[in-house]
Amino acid sequence: PTCPRQFEAKYITKEVKFEETDATRWGNLVHKSLEEYLLHGTPIPPNVPYQKFADWVKNRPGTLYIERSFGMREDLTAADYWDKTAWIRAKVDVLIIRPCGTVAEVFDWKTGKMKLDSTQLLLYALMVMAEFPDVKEVKCGNIWLATGTLPAPIGYFRINRDALANSFRDKYARVASAFDLGVFVPTPSGLCNGW
């Protein structure tokens, strides 16, 4: 969330309980349908109109991983998802290791409104580099299903990994500091009404 106080209420004190909405139900159905098709060839239900995107992913050259779980330690080494030494954990919707072995592609299915925030993609790139040491470049992009939009992917390069990690560490440090101090200052905005 944009507002630290909202983050605290949702994820720390849990005073705001998660409630499944029509949007989250739809997102879960879409993700599961695409996953089952790409992993097992299960037909995509007629009410999930995204066959062309699934086929586009399926026909890309390389080794395909679907719903791949990652863990990463603070020193940017790979950890098992459930390992207690994992600093960050994530699940990637689509990962393709190209036949050359040095380039990876990461795609995230998005069923909501388009947003310009690459933090999640940066995290995915760092995790792929940790897990696959031969990968020199990770091309990451969101597939915006509702609008049929696939913006040009962002290229993240291993040679810049430390600088990329530092930008992510800065975001993490702000959350960790607020957690340690127990102070989550509200950031009033239209997105955070009531916090």
Side-chain angles (χ1 to χ4, degrees), residues 8-51:
E8 179 189 32
K10 285 185 173 181
Y11 303 108
I12 307 298
T13 64
K14 301 193 183 203
E15 60 203 75
V16 174
K17 301 297 180 198
F18 172 77
E19 290 184 23
E20 191 175 50
T21 64
D22 289 342
T24 55
R25 275 189 288 280
W26 172 246
N28 290 338
L29 172 66
V30 168
H31 276 75
K32 192 65 178 169
S33 299
L34 296 172
E35 175 187 356
E36 289 297 315
Y37 174 72
L38 290 168
L39 284 178
H40 309 294
T42 305
I44 295 174
N47 64 327
V48 178
Y50 305 127
Q51 183 76 47

Side-chain angles (χ1 to χ4, degrees), residues 180-195:
D180 289 343
L181 296 172
V183 178
F184 291 82
V185 180
T187 305
S189 76
L191 296 174
C192 296
N193 287 331
W195 300 102

